[in-house]
Amino acid sequence: MEGFLEKEPAIVGRTQRRYFVATRVGDVVRVEYFVDETRQVKKGAFDVDLSGAADSVSVQSIPGPGFAFSVEVSCRRYVLKAASPQEREAWMMLFSRPEVRVRPSSAQPLPTEA
C-alpha cells in the first residue's frame, strides 16, 4: 500500500506532506515515508510486527475537519491525515488487526519478497 499522507512533525511545527509506502514481508509490515513519490529522500520508517512478538500499536481516528488518524507505536505517536475517508480507512485497517504489534525500525533494511 502506498500514497501521500500529511504528517505532523514529532516536534511542534507545521504538517508535512509525505509519500508513505507499506510493504509486507512475512509477519512484518515495513512503513517508510519519503519526501515524494520518487522515493529518493527517505525521511523515516517503522516496522509493524504481526507475529505478536513486540509492543502493541494503537490506531485512532481523530475527530474534526479532514481525515486525520493517529498511529501510536512504542517509540512514537504519528498523526497522519488522508485525502479521503476511504483512504483513511484503508491505512487504519493496515494497523487495526487484532494483536498487531510494532517494533522501532531497525537500521537493516528488510529483505524483499521473493
Side-chain angles (χ1 to χ4, degrees):
M1 176 171 193
E2 59 186 74
F4 282 102
L5 295 170
E6 289 184 23
K7 183 185 82 56
E8 287 187 8
I11 302 173
V12 177
R14 61 182 214 143
T15 60
Q16 301 160 333
R17 187 172 187 242
R18 297 287 184 234
Y19 193 76
F20 282 74
V21 178
T23 307
R24 184 171 180 168
V25 179
D27 286 338
V28 176
V29 176
R30 171 140 242 203
V31 180
E32 299 175 299
Y33 50 99
F34 303 87
V35 171
D36 59 30
E37 68 273 14
T38 65
R39 302 183 193 181
Q40 292 181 10
V41 181
K42 183 175 168 181
K43 298 302 283 185
F46 58 94
D47 295 334
V48 179
D49 184 347
L50 301 176
S51 71
D55 298 332
S56 65
V57 62
S58 171
V59 179
Q60 295 181 344
S61 178
I62 298 174
F67 308 105
F69 63 101
S70 67
V71 179
E72 193 167 338
V73 298
S74 59
C75 59
R76 181 160 173 203
R77 179 177 187 242
Y78 295 86
V79 177
L80 307 169
K81 184 178 178 183
S84 70
Q86 295 84 7
E87 187 176 315
R88 175 178 61 184
E89 181 69 19
W91 281 102
M92 289 180 67
M93 290 295 292
L94 181 67
F95 305 110
S96 295
R97 296 179 42 161
E99 300 300 317
V100 171
R101 309 290 182 184
V102 304
R103 65 176 187 239
S105 179
S106 62
Q108 301 271 344
L110 293 175
T112 57
E113 292 183 291

